[in-house]
Amino acid sequence: MRLLSLLLVLCIEGGLTELRLYSDLVHQAQQRALTISRAVASDPRVARAVIARDPEGEVQALAEHDRRLTEAQFVVVTDSRGIRCSHPDPKNIGKPVSTDPSDALHGRETVSFESGSLGLSARGKAPLRDADGVIVGEVSTGFSAKDLHHQLLAQLPSVAENLGLQLVAGTIGIVMITLHHRVELKKLAREIDVLRGLLRDRPRASEGHQTPPSSDRQPDQPAAPDQPAAPDQPAAPDQPAAPDQPAAPDQPAAPDQPAARSPAGSSPVPDLRLGKYRSRQIMEEIVAVLRSAPEPISTAQIADKIGRDRSTAQRYLKDLERDDYVTMILDRGSRGRPRHLYQWRDKPSPPPARPNP
């Protein structure tokens, strides 16, 4: 679709370019024709011959000489009535001109692109004056439209070369844009795969996050609401004292209860608040790498060891840093931006709760 759009734009541009070139050629031909008409009209021999009714055909000779010299289609001289005194075809001499000569006979120079006895042409007309400045006729010069078409065709190779260069440059740009979009789509597909994996691991992460209650720990019971005091009851009669009971034999001491599990215990991620879309499996892999590292380690090294991308490792490291399980160290080095290094540190176990007296 991009290539088709480019071709369509280039075709439109080529057509507009041809129209502009043809318009320029017509304008140039009109101005050139007007210049020739002025030059012929400024020759005093032409005016004298027209006034004398041109008995020797001097006007025809002068006009044809100028026509062949300038390669014009025609140079026509008329008298004040619009009757031809010269024409490329001598049979038309003495006949009225085919186009309106009134503007030139009233002293106005004109240019036009119109059709006459010789066909369509770009024309320029100038008034013919005698020595006293009186208008005695007109001079009309024209260039054939066919000659203009030939000149336009001669410029087509340069136009085609320009459009070809634009086509090559546009095609290269389209290919580069398409390749860039494919890379972005592949990157987006990988991110979607990561999100799918996180969504698949989410049930397992939620199961691992729930800790079953211990058999020796009873959940705290809410305190009973205050009950109204019972009315005074009569004292019970004195009961005889119970006989002394023999002391119970010494009971063996209860075995030591296991202490609370610390961060360095069997579970690599205790008491950690996993964020949304976080996997306990990935977190445990990162914690294992941090604990086994003899010195601070970078995000890229952690990601390489667990086979994940850097952005994933960075999110989990932020959670560990938030809960004070890791220490972030800036390694400024000698050049470039400082690196973020991470080191594991075991949080101290909270002190045991004091028994109520």
Side-chain angles (χ1 to χ4, degrees):
M1 291 300 295
R2 293 191 180 106
L3 286 174
L4 289 177
S5 300
L6 177 62
L7 290 174
L8 178 61
V9 170
L10 291 179
C11 289
I12 295 174
E13 181 184 356
L16 294 176
T17 301
E18 288 297 306
L19 288 176
R20 180 177 57 81
L21 288 176
Y22 189 69
S23 177
D24 292 344
L25 289 173
V26 171
H27 178 72
Q28 293 172 9
Q30 290 172 341
Q31 295 302 316
R32 187 180 176 191
L34 181 60
T35 302
I36 296 171
S37 296
R38 288 172 181 169
V40 174
S42 64
D43 189 346
R45 295 175 296 173
V46 176
R48 286 196 301 265
V50 170
I51 294 172
R53 303 293 181 183
D54 193 21
E56 299 178 357
E58 185 179 4
V59 176
Q60 174 71 3
L62 293 173
E64 285 299 298
H65 176 268
D66 291 338
R67 182 184 69 82
R68 288 189 294 268
L69 186 64
T70 58
E71 298 181 352
Q73 184 185 20
F74 62 84
V75 176
V76 175
V77 179
T78 71
D79 59 11
S80 58
R81 298 173 300 167
I83 303 299
R84 297 188 184 103
C85 297
S86 67
H87 195 274
D89 185 1
K91 295 179 182 179
N92 291 323
I93 296 176
K95 296 179 180 179
V97 291
S98 58
T99 57
D100 185 12
S102 59
D103 288 338
L105 294 177
H106 285 83
R108 292 188 294 270
E109 295 179 344
T110 61
V111 293
S112 62
F113 189 68
E114 56 186 345
S115 180
S117 60
L118 297 177
L120 188 64
S121 59
R123 304 168 181 238
K125 299 178 181 181
L128 178 64
R129 301 176 187 271
D130 61 7
D132 297 328
V134 179
I135 297 175
V136 296
E138 70 152 348
V139 179
S140 177
T141 305
F143 289 93
S144 174
K146 293 181 180 179
D147 295 338
L148 300 180
H149 292 160
H150 293 321
Q151 295 178 29
L152 181 65
L153 291 176
Q155 298 186 19
L156 280 180
S158 61
V159 175
E161 181 181 359
N162 183 28
L163 294 177
L165 292 176
Q166 294 184 38
L167 178 62
V168 172
T171 304
I172 293 174
I174 288 174
V175 171
M176 294 179 65
I177 291 174
T178 304
L179 292 177
H180 175 72
H181 285 176
R182 288 185 178 180
V183 171
E184 293 296 325
L185 287 175
K186 289 182 179 178
K187 187 183 299 184
L188 180 61
R190 288 196 297 268
E191 293 178 358
I192 292 175
D193 291 339
V194 171
L195 290 176
R196 287 176 177 172
L198 292 175
L199 291 175
R200 285 196 299 267
D201 294 340
R202 190 176 180 183
R204 289 183 293 172
S206 60
E207 291 174 4
H209 187 64
Q210 297 175 356
T211 304
S214 303
S215 58
D216 56 346
R217 290 185 58 187
Q218 299 296 331
D220 296 336
Q221 300 293 336
D226 296 339
Q227 300 292 335
D232 294 339
Q233 299 293 334
D238 294 338
Q239 298 294 333
D244 294 338
Q245 299 293 331
D250 293 337
Q251 300 293 332
D256 294 337
Q257 298 296 329
R261 189 169 54 184
S262 66
S266 60
S267 177
V269 193
D271 305 330
L272 183 64
R273 294 174 294 148
L274 292 174
K276 190 177 182 181
Y277 303 129
R278 299 291 193 267
S279 168
R280 180 166 291 272
Q281 177 183 357
I282 298 176
M283 181 65 80
E284 291 179 354
E285 293 175 359
I286 293 176
V287 170
V289 172
L290 287 168
R291 281 178 166 172
S292 62
E295 57 185 10
I297 188 170
S298 66
T299 307
Q301 293 172 319
I302 295 174
D304 184 62
K305 289 181 178 294
I306 66 174
R308 311 278 180 175
D309 55 273
R310 292 183 59 183
S311 59
T312 300
Q314 186 66 38
R315 291 197 300 267
Y316 285 86
L317 288 170
K318 288 296 182 183
D319 291 346
L320 291 171
E321 184 182 2
R322 177 199 63 200
D323 292 343
D324 296 332
Y325 282 104
V326 297
T327 302
M328 195 271 288
I329 304 170
L330 284 179
D331 180 18
R332 302 189 180 277
S334 58
R335 293 181 181 179
R337 299 173 57 185
R339 294 192 309 162
H340 290 191
L341 303 180
Y342 295 90
Q343 187 175 25
W344 179 264
R345 61 168 184 166
D346 289 323
K347 294 170 60 177
S349 301
R354 294 182 178 180
N356 289 329

